[in-house]
């Protein structure tokens, strides 16, 4: 009976730990996720990239999240292979430092975090303060889960079950290594898995030698997480996770053999066993970073041979970049298949619009005529995509579609029109402002330029979310997208108010660029509204959107 109670308690504490780690990461991503790309792509040196990876892992409390971000930007051409790998290696060290902070006995801090975090999340309307409340409550839940984990061990600490398992793992370091790897992979969190190992050693449930093998295995298993999560992505996106797996797995296996055959693991106990285990974990990741950073660029060639470019393994599809290529003419008689084709073309259309919007502020700075011409040329591709979707929708026989399918097709057509309009906002308004700025030689104020960067970053994050909503029809994502739309509206209002205050204070740069600043943030807001329109059909279908914001019933005015 003690064993059953222990397993249930262990499962509950583990799930709370995983939930808490995810809660912290979600809060940070929703608050600052729009700034991650700028942080990741702004460093060209490997040391700078590794430092950014350390910082992001500490913030996100997940090396896997950092690895996926770096992988995505590398596959998109925004980061080189070596830079992305340096970010991932830094992220591994950052997550190890997180474990040091979370391992402290901070039970006294739990009620404080819950009180302030709960108040901010429930009572405060501003987005970043609400997400800060989510983060504080997540940290409190992490501390609570660790206390539950320690308490779960009490009933069986003196039984014959736990000592038998501990002694076996201490004697068979290979099994302990495999258990640690499986534990980290199944939990999908190296932070949670290693915190569990440290807690077991701290309360005396595991000897230090077994805990060390488990931690080395968890380091190896954590490298499988981004490999697994990127398995369905293109070849370019899988190079970084596999390179990290090779480096991490090789060093973890080598350290396991050396520490258990040539040395006594007890030699690493320089403080308490639990603290020494954390030091060993941090030391492992630091050594990996120091050894691997100089060879990051050298690894690109062999990894490229293992994962060659798609052009070397298959013929180039001449229709790949042609607007309307995703629309299968033979699927018009099958509504479900036709809808899937329209969504695929809309996804390609969204990526074209994103490609137009992303370099806008760079064009503002450089005002290169060729860059402006390239953006306007992409607008023609967006127009062609709309024309292709319109013709395709017109060719679908109405008699083969149900009422719900017709409504879905109509909603997708409306979103295609909104995407085309969003492209016009960039091609006709924002590029015109860039040309005006070049001709006038005006400059934005430092504060105003920072506001434009933050708004654009938020909109780029909304573009990624809009693509998820388009493909998944997920209600929660649609609600989040509408919340972020409101946040961009608030940012536009705040920027306008601050700009007017700078004018009142006589800021020269603000006076020169006043019209351009106000027109830019107005165009940004309109662009974002068109992008967020993908959420409307889902919200309407689930009764989550009001028809009007007007008050329907009003008290008669007193005469």
């Amino acid at each position: 009976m003690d064993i059953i109670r222990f397993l249930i308690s262990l499962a509950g504490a583990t799930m709370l730990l995983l939930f808490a780690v995810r809660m912290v990461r979600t809060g940070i991503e929703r608050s600052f996720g729009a700034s991650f790309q700028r942080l990741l792509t702004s460093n060209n040196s490997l040391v700078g990239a590794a430092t950014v990876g350390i910082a992001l892992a500490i913030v996100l409390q997940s090396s896997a999240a950092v690895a996926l971000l770096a992988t995505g930007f590398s596959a998109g051409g925004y980061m080189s292979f070596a830079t992305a790998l340096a970010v991932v290696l830094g992220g591994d060290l950052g997550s190890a430092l997180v474990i040091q902070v979370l391992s402290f006995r901070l039970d006294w801090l739990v009620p404080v975090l819950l009180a302030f975090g709960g108040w901010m999340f429930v009572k405060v309307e501003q987005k970043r303060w609400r997400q800060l409340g989510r983060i504080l409550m997540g940290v409190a839940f992490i501390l609570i889960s660790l206390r539950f984990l320690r308490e779960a061990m009490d009933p069986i600490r003196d039984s014959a079950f736990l000592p038998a398992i501990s002694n076996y793992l201490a004697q068979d370091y290979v099994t302990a290594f495999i258990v640690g790897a499986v534990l980290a992979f199944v939990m999908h969190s190296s932070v949670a898995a290693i915190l569990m190992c440290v807690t077991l050693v701290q309360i005396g449930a595991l000897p230090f030698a077994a805990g060390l093998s488990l931690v080395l295995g968890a380091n190896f298993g954590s490298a499988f997480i981004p490999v697994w999560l990127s398995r369905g992505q293109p070849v370019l996106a899988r190079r970084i996770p596999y390179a990290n797996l090779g480096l991490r797995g090789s060093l973890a296996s080598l350290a396991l053999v050396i520490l258990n055959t040539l040395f006594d693991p007890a030699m690493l106990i320089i403080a308490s066993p639990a603290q020494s285990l954390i030091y060993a974990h941090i030391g492992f990741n630091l050594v990996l970073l120091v050894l691997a950073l100089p060879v990051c660029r050298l690894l690109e060639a062999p990894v490229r041979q293992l994962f060659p470019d798609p052009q070397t393994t298959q013929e180039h599809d001449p229709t790949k970049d042609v607007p309307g290529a995703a629309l299968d003419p033979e699927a018009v008689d099958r509504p479900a298949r036709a809808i899937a084709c329209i969504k695929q073309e809309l996804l390609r259309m969204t990526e074209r619009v994103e490609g137009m919007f992303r370099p806008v502020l760079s064009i503002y700075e450089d005002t290169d005529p060729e860059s402006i011409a390239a953006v306007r040329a992409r607008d023609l591709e967006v127009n062609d995509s709309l024309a292709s979707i319109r013709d395709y929708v017109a060719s679908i026989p109405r008699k083969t579609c149900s009422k719900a399918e017709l409504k879905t097709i109509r909603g997708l057509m409306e979103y295609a029109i909104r995407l085309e309009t969003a492209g016009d906002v960039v091609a006709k308004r924002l590029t015109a402002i860039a040309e005006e700025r070049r001709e006038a030689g005006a400059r934005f104020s430092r504060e105003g330029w920072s506001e434009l960067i933050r708004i654009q970053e938020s909109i780029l994050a909304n573009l990624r979310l809009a693509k998820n909503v388009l493909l998944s029809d997920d209600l929660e994502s649609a609600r989040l997208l509408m919340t972020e739309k409101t946040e961009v509206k608030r940012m536009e209002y705040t920027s306008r108010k601050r700009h007017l205050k700078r004018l009142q204070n006589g800021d020269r740069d603000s006076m020169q660029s006043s019209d351009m600043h106000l027109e830019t943030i107005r165009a940004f807001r309109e662009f974002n509204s068109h992008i967020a329109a993908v959420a409307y059909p889902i919200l309407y279908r689930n009764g989550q959107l009001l028809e009007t914001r007007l008050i329907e019933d009003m008290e008669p005015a007193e005469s």
Side-chain angles (χ1 to χ4, degrees):
M1 193 65 186
D2 287 340
I3 299 301
I4 296 176
R5 188 182 300 113
F6 161 72
L7 293 176
I8 294 175
S9 300
L10 180 63
T14 302
M15 289 300 104
L16 180 58
L17 179 59
L18 291 175
F19 170 77
V21 171
R22 181 181 179 85
M23 188 175 182
V24 173
R25 186 167 69 246
T26 301
I28 294 172
E29 287 174 345
R30 291 183 181 180
S31 297
F32 309 103
S35 303
F36 287 164
Q37 178 174 340
R38 180 159 54 93
L39 286 173
L40 284 170
T41 57
S42 61
N43 283 278
N44 294 321
S45 71
L46 297 184
V47 175
T51 303
V52 170
I54 293 172
L56 286 179
I58 292 174
V59 169
L60 293 175
Q61 297 193 2
S62 172
S63 58
V66 175
L68 291 176
L69 283 172
T71 295
F73 292 137
S74 175
Y78 302 109
M79 298 176 69
S80 66
F81 172 89
T83 304
L85 185 56
V87 169
V88 173
L89 294 170
D92 292 331
L93 178 57
S95 69
L97 297 175
V98 168
I99 293 170
Q100 173 65 81
V101 175
L102 295 178
S103 65
F104 295 135
R105 295 294 293 266
L106 300 172
D107 293 346
W108 60 270
L109 192 58
V110 170
V112 178
L113 293 175
L114 289 176
F116 282 97
W119 177 78
M120 282 190 285
F121 187 75
V122 174
K123 296 297 184 180
V124 179
E125 293 297 328
Q126 190 173 353
K127 172 192 170 184
R128 290 205 170 183
W129 286 104
R130 292 189 73 235
Q131 296 307 323
L132 178 59
R134 180 195 295 269
I135 295 166
L136 293 179
M137 288 194 296
V139 173
F141 290 153
I142 290 175
L143 299 176
I144 293 173
S145 66
L146 294 176
R147 186 172 66 189
F148 282 174
L149 188 60
R150 290 190 293 266
E151 293 174 354
M153 297 296 170
D154 289 338
I156 65 166
R157 188 180 304 177
D158 299 326
S159 66
F161 171 74
L162 192 58
I165 297 295
S166 300
N167 292 333
Y168 178 75
L169 292 178
Q171 296 173 4
D172 190 347
Y173 60 86
V174 175
T175 300
F177 182 85
I178 296 173
V179 170
V182 172
L183 185 66
F185 180 76
V186 170
M187 296 178 75
H188 265 43
S189 173
S190 61
V191 172
I194 295 174
L195 276 174
M196 178 179 292
C197 297
V198 170
T199 303
L200 293 175
V201 172
Q202 186 179 45
I203 65 176
L206 279 178
F208 176 82
L212 182 62
S213 299
L214 284 170
V215 166
L216 289 173
N219 276 279
F220 183 40
S222 66
F224 278 100
I225 300 172
V227 169
W228 174 259
L229 295 177
S230 63
R231 66 191 184 282
Q233 297 185 20
V235 172
L236 296 177
R238 299 202 300 271
R239 289 174 178 169
I240 302 298
Y242 274 98
N244 180 54
L245 176 63
L247 291 171
R248 201 166 190 76
S250 300
L251 186 60
S253 302
L254 184 63
L256 177 74
V257 174
I258 291 176
L259 291 175
N260 285 278
T261 57
L262 303 181
F263 297 94
D264 182 4
M267 294 173 58
L268 297 178
I269 302 179
I270 56 178
S272 66
Q275 186 61 55
S276 299
L277 190 62
I278 296 174
Y279 289 156
H281 176 54
I282 295 175
F284 171 84
N285 285 277
L286 181 59
V287 169
L288 176 62
L289 179 63
V290 171
L291 294 178
L293 207 59
V295 300
C296 283
R297 292 189 173 91
L298 301 178
L299 289 174
E300 184 171 5
V303 172
R304 188 182 292 273
Q305 290 182 351
L306 291 174
F307 299 93
D309 294 331
Q311 290 81 358
T312 63
T313 58
Q314 59 183 16
E315 295 183 359
H316 177 67
D317 184 1
T319 67
K320 181 179 179 182
D321 299 321
V322 176
L327 303 173
D328 184 5
E330 298 181 359
V332 293
D333 294 329
R334 293 172 289 169
R337 175 60 183 158
I339 290 173
C341 291
I342 296 172
K343 285 187 175 184
Q344 187 64 32
E345 183 62 26
L346 280 174
L347 181 63
R348 289 152 55 91
M349 192 175 177
T350 306
E351 291 171 348
R352 291 189 178 98
V353 172
E354 181 180 0
M356 295 173 61
F357 182 73
R358 187 179 296 278
V360 161
L361 293 184
S362 298
I363 294 174
Y364 271 37
E365 286 186 307
D366 300 335
T367 60
D368 180 12
E370 293 183 1
S371 300
I372 294 176
V375 169
R376 290 173 175 170
R378 300 204 76 169
D379 185 49
L380 297 178
E381 296 179 0
V382 173
N383 296 342
D384 291 340
S385 291
L386 174 63
S388 300
I389 294 174
R390 184 187 294 117
D391 294 340
Y392 190 77
V393 169
S395 68
I396 298 176
R398 297 296 181 266
K399 61 182 180 180
T400 62
C401 302
S402 65
K403 186 176 180 180
E405 289 169 338
L406 286 174
K407 186 178 292 186
T408 298
I409 292 172
R410 188 161 55 247
L412 294 175
M413 184 69 238
E414 290 175 355
Y415 186 57
I417 296 172
R418 299 293 291 263
L419 284 176
E420 192 274 337
T421 307
D424 288 343
V425 170
V426 178
K428 297 178 180 178
R429 292 172 56 183
L430 292 173
T431 56
I433 297 172
E435 290 177 329
E436 178 186 352
R437 180 173 181 261
R438 179 185 60 185
E439 295 171 359
R443 298 193 325 176
F444 290 96
S445 67
R446 183 172 56 84
E447 296 83 1
W449 186 250
S450 298
E451 291 164 8
L452 294 180
I453 290 175
R454 286 194 295 270
I455 296 175
Q456 189 196 32
E457 288 174 344
S458 295
I459 296 174
L460 287 171
N462 290 348
L463 268 164
R464 292 192 293 272
L465 183 56
K467 287 188 282 189
N468 292 335
V469 172
L470 175 65
L471 294 178
S472 66
D473 283 339
D474 179 57
L475 176 60
E476 185 61 30
S477 297
R479 287 179 58 87
L480 178 59
L481 181 57
M482 293 307 297
T483 301
E484 296 300 324
K485 175 191 172 185
T486 304
E487 179 64 18
V488 169
K489 179 180 177 181
R490 186 197 63 78
M491 293 173 71
E492 185 253 353
Y493 170 77
T494 302
S495 178
R496 185 171 65 249
K497 185 170 66 174
R498 290 176 177 172
H499 176 74
L500 295 177
K501 185 177 294 186
R502 289 192 293 270
L503 292 180
Q504 291 175 341
N505 294 333
D507 188 293
R508 183 178 178 182
D509 290 337
S510 295
M511 289 181 178
Q512 290 181 347
S513 61
S514 180
D515 290 341
M516 287 178 282
H517 182 93
L518 295 175
E519 181 61 27
T520 298
I521 59 176
R522 194 179 300 118
F524 277 5
R525 175 181 168 182
E526 182 179 340
F527 180 91
N528 186 69
S529 297
H530 292 309
I531 294 302
V534 69
Y536 290 151
I538 301 172
L539 296 174
Y540 272 125
R541 189 164 61 243
N542 291 275
Q544 299 287 305
L545 203 61
L546 297 176
E547 293 287 343
T548 176
R549 287 185 289 181
L550 292 174
I551 298 175
E552 298 292 341
D553 298 320
M554 298 184 63
E555 295 292 334
E558 295 183 1
S559 56

